[in-house]
Amino acid sequence: MKAAARGLTLLFASGDSGAGCWSTSGRHQFRPSFPASSPYVTTVGGTSFKNPFRVTSEVVDYISGGGFSNVFPRPSYQEEAVAKFLSSSPQLPPSSYFNASGRAYPDVAALSDGYWVVSNRVPIPWVSGTSASTPVFGGILSLINEHRILNGRPPLGFLNPRLYQQHGAGLFDVTRGCHESCLNEEVQGQGFCSGPGWDPVTGWGTPNFPALLKTLINP
């Protein structure tokens, strides 16, 4: 809350293990990550291009972290979106695998696959992960904050209530693909799947900068 009062937006990567997995006494459950599952941060998932060798439509990056917290209850700002997902998704995992009443994440996503990174002047291809998608989304928010400040408005601060109130306006909805989870007979390595609107794989979707700027430029 203090960070939000200062106009800071806290972003965290959703993790690179899909829904995660843990096993106790032969019973499997998904394993949410932290701080990605905190209700006080904006969590960024990951996508890939449908054709990895061309700029095409985006699909789920199977490593994209997402799910439901076992510690934090679902915050009021995402109640409507998450309830809609749970009631409409045709491919929900068994209910014993996740806490449907917990804080759901991620909130948004960005491309997390196929980056080139230069280390000691050596280019390294095909670097992937939500630790790549998160600074991309952060950079876009910084540009939007710059426009807001130039127009005499404060920086965005805590973003989540606004994202959910606006139903993902300014974001490309990612509706194809599922992320990974437990490798057992019951779920066979599949966690949650994306769909129209918010989902616990890519959140509300990936940034469309002109549209997102238009959406977030005003108070």
PDB file of all heavy atoms in Angstrom, residues 89-117:
ATOM      1  N   SER A  89     -14.756 -22.329 -18.131  1.00  0.00           N
ATOM      2  CA  SER A  89     -13.655 -23.055 -18.755  1.00  0.00           C
ATOM      3  C   SER A  89     -14.037 -24.512 -19.003  1.00  0.00           C
ATOM      4  O   SER A  89     -14.488 -25.208 -18.080  1.00  0.00           O
ATOM      5  CB  SER A  89     -12.406 -23.003 -17.872  1.00  0.00           C
ATOM      6  OG  SER A  89     -11.376 -23.799 -18.430  1.00  0.00           O
ATOM      7  N   PRO A  90     -13.859 -25.002 -20.224  1.00  0.00           N
ATOM      8  CA  PRO A  90     -14.245 -26.382 -20.520  1.00  0.00           C
ATOM      9  C   PRO A  90     -13.188 -27.407 -20.108  1.00  0.00           C
ATOM     10  O   PRO A  90     -13.429 -28.607 -20.202  1.00  0.00           O
ATOM     11  CB  PRO A  90     -14.412 -26.373 -22.042  1.00  0.00           C
ATOM     12  CG  PRO A  90     -13.439 -25.334 -22.501  1.00  0.00           C
ATOM     13  CD  PRO A  90     -13.411 -24.274 -21.430  1.00  0.00           C
ATOM     14  N   GLN A  91     -11.995 -26.931 -19.650  1.00  0.00           N
ATOM     15  CA  GLN A  91     -10.896 -27.863 -19.394  1.00  0.00           C
ATOM     16  C   GLN A  91     -10.286 -27.662 -18.009  1.00  0.00           C
ATOM     17  O   GLN A  91      -9.072 -27.665 -17.852  1.00  0.00           O
ATOM     18  CB  GLN A  91      -9.799 -27.690 -20.453  1.00  0.00           C
ATOM     19  CG  GLN A  91     -10.265 -27.867 -21.878  1.00  0.00           C
ATOM     20  CD  GLN A  91      -9.120 -27.708 -22.868  1.00  0.00           C
ATOM     21  OE1 GLN A  91      -8.202 -28.521 -22.930  1.00  0.00           O
ATOM     22  NE2 GLN A  91      -9.175 -26.647 -23.658  1.00  0.00           N
ATOM     23  N   LEU A  92     -11.114 -27.507 -16.997  1.00  0.00           N
ATOM     24  CA  LEU A  92     -10.577 -27.301 -15.656  1.00  0.00           C
ATOM     25  C   LEU A  92      -9.948 -28.581 -15.112  1.00  0.00           C
ATOM     26  O   LEU A  92     -10.494 -29.683 -15.298  1.00  0.00           O
ATOM     27  CB  LEU A  92     -11.690 -26.868 -14.697  1.00  0.00           C
ATOM     28  CG  LEU A  92     -12.081 -25.394 -14.674  1.00  0.00           C
ATOM     29  CD1 LEU A  92     -13.187 -25.185 -13.653  1.00  0.00           C
ATOM     30  CD2 LEU A  92     -10.884 -24.518 -14.357  1.00  0.00           C
ATOM     31  N   PRO A  93      -8.808 -28.471 -14.430  1.00  0.00           N
ATOM     32  CA  PRO A  93      -8.238 -29.648 -13.761  1.00  0.00           C
ATOM     33  C   PRO A  93      -9.141 -30.085 -12.611  1.00  0.00           C
ATOM     34  O   PRO A  93     -10.051 -29.342 -12.204  1.00  0.00           O
ATOM     35  CB  PRO A  93      -6.891 -29.118 -13.232  1.00  0.00           C
ATOM     36  CG  PRO A  93      -6.634 -27.841 -13.956  1.00  0.00           C
ATOM     37  CD  PRO A  93      -7.986 -27.273 -14.280  1.00  0.00           C
ATOM     38  N   PRO A  94      -8.927 -31.261 -12.052  1.00  0.00           N
ATOM     39  CA  PRO A  94      -9.714 -31.689 -10.897  1.00  0.00           C
ATOM     40  C   PRO A  94      -9.626 -30.670  -9.763  1.00  0.00           C
ATOM     41  O   PRO A  94      -8.565 -30.096  -9.515  1.00  0.00           O
ATOM     42  CB  PRO A  94      -9.059 -33.024 -10.508  1.00  0.00           C
ATOM     43  CG  PRO A  94      -8.433 -33.516 -11.766  1.00  0.00           C
ATOM     44  CD  PRO A  94      -7.971 -32.297 -12.501  1.00  0.00           C
ATOM     45  N   SER A  95     -10.734 -30.452  -9.062  1.00  0.00           N
ATOM     46  CA  SER A  95     -10.793 -29.411  -8.034  1.00  0.00           C
ATOM     47  C   SER A  95      -9.840 -29.659  -6.879  1.00  0.00           C
ATOM     48  O   SER A  95      -9.456 -28.720  -6.175  1.00  0.00           O
ATOM     49  CB  SER A  95     -12.226 -29.285  -7.508  1.00  0.00           C
ATOM     50  OG  SER A  95     -12.670 -30.516  -6.951  1.00  0.00           O
ATOM     51  N   SER A  96      -9.435 -30.914  -6.682  1.00  0.00           N
ATOM     52  CA  SER A  96      -8.519 -31.234  -5.581  1.00  0.00           C
ATOM     53  C   SER A  96      -7.105 -30.724  -5.832  1.00  0.00           C
ATOM     54  O   SER A  96      -6.278 -30.713  -4.916  1.00  0.00           O
ATOM     55  CB  SER A  96      -8.482 -32.745  -5.357  1.00  0.00           C
ATOM     56  OG  SER A  96      -8.016 -33.418  -6.527  1.00  0.00           O
ATOM     57  N   TYR A  97      -6.837 -30.275  -7.050  1.00  0.00           N
ATOM     58  CA  TYR A  97      -5.486 -29.839  -7.394  1.00  0.00           C
ATOM     59  C   TYR A  97      -5.223 -28.367  -7.087  1.00  0.00           C
ATOM     60  O   TYR A  97      -4.078 -27.932  -7.096  1.00  0.00           O
ATOM     61  CB  TYR A  97      -5.214 -30.088  -8.886  1.00  0.00           C
ATOM     62  CG  TYR A  97      -4.783 -31.494  -9.188  1.00  0.00           C
ATOM     63  CD1 TYR A  97      -5.681 -32.550  -9.108  1.00  0.00           C
ATOM     64  CD2 TYR A  97      -3.470 -31.786  -9.553  1.00  0.00           C
ATOM     65  CE1 TYR A  97      -5.293 -33.849  -9.383  1.00  0.00           C
ATOM     66  CE2 TYR A  97      -3.066 -33.076  -9.832  1.00  0.00           C
ATOM     67  CZ  TYR A  97      -3.991 -34.104  -9.740  1.00  0.00           C
ATOM     68  OH  TYR A  97      -3.588 -35.399 -10.007  1.00  0.00           O
ATOM     69  N   PHE A  98      -6.255 -27.583  -6.842  1.00  0.00           N
ATOM     70  CA  PHE A  98      -6.031 -26.152  -6.638  1.00  0.00           C
ATOM     71  C   PHE A  98      -7.093 -25.569  -5.715  1.00  0.00           C
ATOM     72  O   PHE A  98      -8.176 -26.131  -5.546  1.00  0.00           O
ATOM     73  CB  PHE A  98      -6.029 -25.399  -7.969  1.00  0.00           C
ATOM     74  CG  PHE A  98      -7.330 -25.428  -8.729  1.00  0.00           C
ATOM     75  CD1 PHE A  98      -8.213 -24.350  -8.675  1.00  0.00           C
ATOM     76  CD2 PHE A  98      -7.700 -26.533  -9.491  1.00  0.00           C
ATOM     77  CE1 PHE A  98      -9.408 -24.371  -9.363  1.00  0.00           C
ATOM     78  CE2 PHE A  98      -8.897 -26.555 -10.199  1.00  0.00           C
ATOM     79  CZ  PHE A  98      -9.760 -25.472 -10.126  1.00  0.00           C
ATOM     80  N   ASN A  99      -6.760 -24.434  -5.110  1.00  0.00           N
ATOM     81  CA  ASN A  99      -7.634 -23.737  -4.177  1.00  0.00           C
ATOM     82  C   ASN A  99      -8.418 -22.680  -4.948  1.00  0.00           C
ATOM     83  O   ASN A  99      -7.954 -21.565  -5.152  1.00  0.00           O
ATOM     84  CB  ASN A  99      -6.797 -23.083  -3.068  1.00  0.00           C
ATOM     85  CG  ASN A  99      -7.624 -22.197  -2.163  1.00  0.00           C
ATOM     86  OD1 ASN A  99      -8.822 -22.432  -1.988  1.00  0.00           O
ATOM     87  ND2 ASN A  99      -6.992 -21.186  -1.582  1.00  0.00           N
ATOM     88  N   ALA A 100      -9.618 -23.015  -5.366  1.00  0.00           N
ATOM     89  CA  ALA A 100     -10.396 -22.138  -6.247  1.00  0.00           C
ATOM     90  C   ALA A 100     -10.752 -20.812  -5.602  1.00  0.00           C
ATOM     91  O   ALA A 100     -11.097 -19.854  -6.301  1.00  0.00           O
ATOM     92  CB  ALA A 100     -11.667 -22.849  -6.694  1.00  0.00           C
ATOM     93  N   SER A 101     -10.661 -20.707  -4.279  1.00  0.00           N
ATOM     94  CA  SER A 101     -11.013 -19.457  -3.597  1.00  0.00           C
ATOM     95  C   SER A 101      -9.792 -18.582  -3.338  1.00  0.00           C
ATOM     96  O   SER A 101      -9.912 -17.515  -2.735  1.00  0.00           O
ATOM     97  CB  SER A 101     -11.715 -19.757  -2.266  1.00  0.00           C
ATOM     98  OG  SER A 101     -10.842 -20.454  -1.383  1.00  0.00           O
ATOM     99  N   GLY A 102      -8.607 -19.014  -3.800  1.00  0.00           N
ATOM    100  CA  GLY A 102      -7.387 -18.253  -3.556  1.00  0.00           C
ATOM    101  C   GLY A 102      -7.149 -17.156  -4.578  1.00  0.00           C
ATOM    102  O   GLY A 102      -7.807 -17.101  -5.628  1.00  0.00           O
ATOM    103  N   ARG A 103      -6.199 -16.287  -4.266  1.00  0.00           N
ATOM    104  CA  ARG A 103      -5.777 -15.236  -5.203  1.00  0.00           C
ATOM    105  C   ARG A 103      -5.302 -15.913  -6.485  1.00  0.00           C
ATOM    106  O   ARG A 103      -4.445 -16.801  -6.479  1.00  0.00           O
ATOM    107  CB  ARG A 103      -4.639 -14.453  -4.565  1.00  0.00           C
ATOM    108  CG  ARG A 103      -4.083 -13.194  -5.270  1.00  0.00           C
ATOM    109  CD  ARG A 103      -3.610 -13.318  -6.669  1.00  0.00           C
ATOM    110  NE  ARG A 103      -2.649 -12.274  -7.043  1.00  0.00           N
ATOM    111  CZ  ARG A 103      -2.705 -11.551  -8.132  1.00  0.00           C
ATOM    112  NH1 ARG A 103      -3.686 -11.743  -8.993  1.00  0.00           N
ATOM    113  NH2 ARG A 103      -1.782 -10.655  -8.386  1.00  0.00           N
ATOM    114  N   ALA A 104      -5.889 -15.511  -7.604  1.00  0.00           N
ATOM    115  CA  ALA A 104      -5.561 -16.122  -8.894  1.00  0.00           C
ATOM    116  C   ALA A 104      -4.554 -15.249  -9.632  1.00  0.00           C
ATOM    117  O   ALA A 104      -4.600 -14.024  -9.563  1.00  0.00           O
ATOM    118  CB  ALA A 104      -6.831 -16.297  -9.727  1.00  0.00           C
ATOM    119  N   TYR A 105      -3.647 -15.887 -10.322  1.00  0.00           N
ATOM    120  CA  TYR A 105      -2.615 -15.158 -11.069  1.00  0.00           C
ATOM    121  C   TYR A 105      -2.249 -15.953 -12.323  1.00  0.00           C
ATOM    122  O   TYR A 105      -2.569 -17.136 -12.404  1.00  0.00           O
ATOM    123  CB  TYR A 105      -1.385 -14.942 -10.169  1.00  0.00           C
ATOM    124  CG  TYR A 105      -0.578 -16.214  -9.897  1.00  0.00           C
ATOM    125  CD1 TYR A 105       0.599 -16.470 -10.599  1.00  0.00           C
ATOM    126  CD2 TYR A 105      -0.998 -17.176  -8.977  1.00  0.00           C
ATOM    127  CE1 TYR A 105       1.338 -17.633 -10.372  1.00  0.00           C
ATOM    128  CE2 TYR A 105      -0.279 -18.323  -8.741  1.00  0.00           C
ATOM    129  CZ  TYR A 105       0.898 -18.545  -9.449  1.00  0.00           C
ATOM    130  OH  TYR A 105       1.629 -19.710  -9.224  1.00  0.00           O
ATOM    131  N   PRO A 106      -1.632 -15.325 -13.349  1.00  0.00           N
ATOM    132  CA  PRO A 106      -1.142 -13.952 -13.447  1.00  0.00           C
ATOM    133  C   PRO A 106      -2.257 -12.967 -13.787  1.00  0.00           C
ATOM    134  O   PRO A 106      -3.400 -13.365 -14.047  1.00  0.00           O
ATOM    135  CB  PRO A 106      -0.119 -14.036 -14.583  1.00  0.00           C
ATOM    136  CG  PRO A 106      -0.696 -15.074 -15.507  1.00  0.00           C
ATOM    137  CD  PRO A 106      -1.308 -16.108 -14.581  1.00  0.00           C
ATOM    138  N   ASP A 107      -1.878 -11.693 -13.805  1.00  0.00           N
ATOM    139  CA  ASP A 107      -2.825 -10.640 -14.151  1.00  0.00           C
ATOM    140  C   ASP A 107      -2.727 -10.266 -15.622  1.00  0.00           C
ATOM    141  O   ASP A 107      -3.732  -9.923 -16.250  1.00  0.00           O
ATOM    142  CB  ASP A 107      -2.563  -9.401 -13.285  1.00  0.00           C
ATOM    143  CG  ASP A 107      -2.618  -9.732 -11.807  1.00  0.00           C
ATOM    144  OD1 ASP A 107      -3.695 -10.149 -11.334  1.00  0.00           O
ATOM    145  OD2 ASP A 107      -1.575  -9.615 -11.121  1.00  0.00           O
ATOM    146  N   VAL A 108      -1.511 -10.328 -16.166  1.00  0.00           N
ATOM    147  CA  VAL A 108      -1.242  -9.970 -17.564  1.00  0.00           C
ATOM    148  C   VAL A 108      -0.148 -10.900 -18.081  1.00  0.00           C
ATOM    149  O   VAL A 108       0.327 -11.791 -17.366  1.00  0.00           O
ATOM    150  CB  VAL A 108      -0.782  -8.497 -17.688  1.00  0.00           C
ATOM    151  CG1 VAL A 108      -1.923  -7.539 -17.343  1.00  0.00           C
ATOM    152  CG2 VAL A 108       0.432  -8.233 -16.798  1.00  0.00           C
ATOM    153  N   ALA A 109       0.292 -10.678 -19.305  1.00  0.00           N
ATOM    154  CA  ALA A 109       1.368 -11.489 -19.880  1.00  0.00           C
ATOM    155  C   ALA A 109       2.107 -10.665 -20.928  1.00  0.00           C
ATOM    156  O   ALA A 109       1.694  -9.560 -21.280  1.00  0.00           O
ATOM    157  CB  ALA A 109       0.808 -12.774 -20.502  1.00  0.00           C
ATOM    158  N   ALA A 110       3.206 -11.222 -21.407  1.00  0.00           N
ATOM    159  CA  ALA A 110       3.946 -10.654 -22.539  1.00  0.00           C
ATOM    160  C   ALA A 110       4.774 -11.788 -23.133  1.00  0.00           C
ATOM    161  O   ALA A 110       4.894 -12.876 -22.545  1.00  0.00           O
ATOM    162  CB  ALA A 110       4.845  -9.490 -22.104  1.00  0.00           C
ATOM    163  N   LEU A 111       5.338 -11.538 -24.290  1.00  0.00           N
ATOM    164  CA  LEU A 111       6.154 -12.560 -24.953  1.00  0.00           C
ATOM    165  C   LEU A 111       7.293 -13.001 -24.031  1.00  0.00           C
ATOM    166  O   LEU A 111       8.027 -12.175 -23.487  1.00  0.00           O
ATOM    167  CB  LEU A 111       6.726 -12.001 -26.254  1.00  0.00           C
ATOM    168  CG  LEU A 111       7.497 -13.000 -27.123  1.00  0.00           C
ATOM    169  CD1 LEU A 111       6.547 -14.013 -27.748  1.00  0.00           C
ATOM    170  CD2 LEU A 111       8.288 -12.258 -28.198  1.00  0.00           C
ATOM    171  N   SER A 112       7.449 -14.311 -23.852  1.00  0.00           N
ATOM    172  CA  SER A 112       8.483 -14.832 -22.953  1.00  0.00           C
ATOM    173  C   SER A 112       9.400 -15.831 -23.649  1.00  0.00           C
ATOM    174  O   SER A 112      10.157 -16.540 -22.991  1.00  0.00           O
ATOM    175  CB  SER A 112       7.832 -15.522 -21.742  1.00  0.00           C
ATOM    176  OG  SER A 112       6.981 -16.578 -22.161  1.00  0.00           O
ATOM    177  N   ASP A 113       9.370 -15.850 -24.959  1.00  0.00           N
ATOM    178  CA  ASP A 113      10.097 -16.893 -25.681  1.00  0.00           C
ATOM    179  C   ASP A 113      10.903 -16.288 -26.831  1.00  0.00           C
ATOM    180  O   ASP A 113      10.456 -15.351 -27.494  1.00  0.00           O
ATOM    181  CB  ASP A 113       9.091 -17.908 -26.243  1.00  0.00           C
ATOM    182  CG  ASP A 113       9.762 -19.129 -26.834  1.00  0.00           C
ATOM    183  OD1 ASP A 113      10.777 -19.576 -26.283  1.00  0.00           O
ATOM    184  OD2 ASP A 113       9.259 -19.632 -27.855  1.00  0.00           O
ATOM    185  N   GLY A 114      12.116 -16.816 -27.042  1.00  0.00           N
ATOM    186  CA  GLY A 114      12.882 -16.467 -28.230  1.00  0.00           C
ATOM    187  C   GLY A 114      13.649 -15.164 -28.169  1.00  0.00           C
ATOM    188  O   GLY A 114      13.883 -14.534 -29.193  1.00  0.00           O
ATOM    189  N   TYR A 115      14.077 -14.749 -26.976  1.00  0.00           N
ATOM    190  CA  TYR A 115      14.864 -13.528 -26.858  1.00  0.00           C
ATOM    191  C   TYR A 115      16.339 -13.782 -27.158  1.00  0.00           C
ATOM    192  O   TYR A 115      16.851 -14.894 -26.932  1.00  0.00           O
ATOM    193  CB  TYR A 115      14.742 -12.943 -25.446  1.00  0.00           C
ATOM    194  CG  TYR A 115      13.425 -12.280 -25.169  1.00  0.00           C
ATOM    195  CD1 TYR A 115      12.316 -13.022 -24.750  1.00  0.00           C
ATOM    196  CD2 TYR A 115      13.266 -10.914 -25.337  1.00  0.00           C
ATOM    197  CE1 TYR A 115      11.107 -12.411 -24.500  1.00  0.00           C
ATOM    198  CE2 TYR A 115      12.054 -10.292 -25.087  1.00  0.00           C
ATOM    199  CZ  TYR A 115      10.979 -11.044 -24.665  1.00  0.00           C
ATOM    200  OH  TYR A 115       9.775 -10.441 -24.428  1.00  0.00           O
ATOM    201  N   TRP A 116      16.997 -12.744 -27.634  1.00  0.00           N
ATOM    202  CA  TRP A 116      18.456 -12.764 -27.769  1.00  0.00           C
ATOM    203  C   TRP A 116      19.047 -11.922 -26.647  1.00  0.00           C
ATOM    204  O   TRP A 116      18.665 -10.770 -26.449  1.00  0.00           O
ATOM    205  CB  TRP A 116      18.896 -12.199 -29.122  1.00  0.00           C
ATOM    206  CG  TRP A 116      18.701 -13.150 -30.252  1.00  0.00           C
ATOM    207  CD1 TRP A 116      17.514 -13.560 -30.787  1.00  0.00           C
ATOM    208  CD2 TRP A 116      19.712 -13.837 -30.993  1.00  0.00           C
ATOM    209  NE1 TRP A 116      17.710 -14.450 -31.812  1.00  0.00           N
ATOM    210  CE2 TRP A 116      19.068 -14.636 -31.962  1.00  0.00           C
ATOM    211  CE3 TRP A 116      21.110 -13.844 -30.943  1.00  0.00           C
ATOM    212  CZ2 TRP A 116      19.753 -15.434 -32.859  1.00  0.00           C
ATOM    213  CZ3 TRP A 116      21.804 -14.632 -31.842  1.00  0.00           C
ATOM    214  CH2 TRP A 116      21.130 -15.425 -32.778  1.00  0.00           C
ATOM    215  N   VAL A 117      19.971 -12.504 -25.908  1.00  0.00           N
ATOM    216  CA  VAL A 117      20.624 -11.816 -24.798  1.00  0.00           C
ATOM    217  C   VAL A 117      22.118 -11.732 -25.096  1.00  0.00           C
ATOM    218  O   VAL A 117      22.717 -12.709 -25.561  1.00  0.00           O
ATOM    219  CB  VAL A 117      20.394 -12.569 -23.468  1.00  0.00           C
ATOM    220  CG1 VAL A 117      21.184 -11.925 -22.332  1.00  0.00           C
ATOM    221  CG2 VAL A 117      18.905 -12.587 -23.137  1.00  0.00           C
TER     222      VAL A 117
END
